[in-house]
Amino acid sequence: MNIVFATNNPNKLAEVRALLPSEIKVLSLQDINCNEELPENGDTLEDNAAQKAYYVYDNYGFNCFADDSGLEIDALDGRPGVYSARYAGPECLANDNIEKVLQELEDIDNRDACFRTVISLVINGNEVQFEGMIEGQIIPEKWGNEGFGYDPIFLPDGCEKSFAQMSLSEKGEISHRGLAVKKLISFLSR
Ligand code: ITT
């Protein structure tokens, strides 16, 4: 089965490709010559994931899935959440987002947070969504160089390594995205 993963984030593509069995061939946006920005102007992960997946299905005619993810920090009332990608501003780098979060949490004891992913699958015009979530803590300094985004400051509960200290497969085994992808695989394998 061929299916498009509608993402412009190469790290997400690598994580998801490492999890999917060989019967499910994941095409990238480049593979289908889709080079434009995908719409994602909703206020929820659910809405944004659906916008991205429907965009590819409607305009390119491929069965498709998209993921929208965010880091939700308890002491910040769930921020950055759906705004995780550009939390420190429109052109910001991942490190700017990390610095902003660490600054906002300075002097705050409650470091509880979770990562949440919503995958929207649009197949033959019908949509199904799958969610994955992992709880953890925001650590006060960066650990590790793997992964992307907020990985260096996220320590999953029960782990001694941050996401950025884990291999692709270690992260995929427990992560928000990994859990949502497992649900996607079991749906596609029915
Ligand atoms: P696409 O929309 O093209 O898929 P994106 O990076 O913009 O790529 P999102 O809109 O889902 O993806 O934004 C999520 C942001 O949340 C992302 O840019 C990171 O800053 C952060 N994020 C999501 N998943 C993450 C993960 O597994 N590890 C670290 N940070 C993550």
Side-chain angles (χ1 to χ4, degrees):
M1 170 194 298
N2 282 356
I3 191 153
V4 173
F5 180 23
T7 181
N8 282 305
N9 181 327
N11 296 91
K12 282 188 182 178
L13 186 63
E15 285 186 12
V16 167
R17 277 196 165 136
L19 290 166
L20 287 175
S22 54
E23 310 85 79
I24 305 175
K25 181 163 185 247
V26 176
L27 302 177
S28 68
L29 292 174
Q30 279 98 330
D31 290 331
I32 61 161
N33 280 320
C34 170
N35 300 308
E36 61 267 27
E37 277 289 306
L38 303 178
E40 50 176 323
N41 49 35
D43 304 329
T44 61
L45 301 180
E46 286 79 2
D47 191 2
N48 281 343
Q51 284 187 23
K52 292 185 268 192
Y54 269 113
Y55 182 86
V56 168
Y57 182 82
D58 290 341
N59 292 286
Y60 291 83
F62 286 93
N63 288 331
C64 174
F65 65 94
D67 130 348
D68 207 59
S69 307
L71 176 65
E72 299 174 357
I73 300 175
D74 288 7
L76 303 180
D77 298 324
R79 294 195 316 274
V82 71
Y83 307 109
S84 292
R86 285 168 202 88
Y87 192 45
E91 303 294 328
C92 67
L93 302 173
N95 199 53
D96 301 327
N97 289 331
I98 287 179
E99 293 303 331
K100 178 166 180 180
V101 162
L102 291 183
Q103 203 173 11
E104 287 185 324
L105 289 182
E106 227 172 35
D107 305 325
I108 294 183
D109 291 336
N110 178 4
R111 317 283 297 194
D112 294 349
C114 74
F115 265 120
R116 204 159 69 82
T117 287
V118 173
I119 289 178
S120 163
L121 169 71
V122 177
I123 193 156
N124 304 324
N126 298 310
E127 193 208 10
V128 195
Q129 294 198 338
F130 309 96
E131 187 181 335
M133 203 258 278
I134 179 163
E135 294 184 327
Q137 299 282 312
I138 303 299
I139 46 179
E141 59 189 22
K142 292 179 273 180
W143 289 357
N145 298 306
E146 303 299 320
F148 69 101
Y150 300 87
D151 280 347
I153 55 166
F154 187 78
L155 182 67
D157 284 349
C159 293
E160 289 177 357
K161 294 198 264 190
S162 78
F163 267 167
Q165 294 174 306
M166 296 182 185
S167 66
L168 212 59
S169 62
E170 283 176 302
K171 182 182 169 189
E173 195 54 45
I174 58 168
S175 77
H176 47 310
R177 183 164 301 101
L179 298 173
V181 168
K182 277 181 199 148
K183 294 179 188 173
L184 170 73
I185 294 170
S186 89
F187 180 86
L188 292 174
S189 311
R190 292 176 318 163

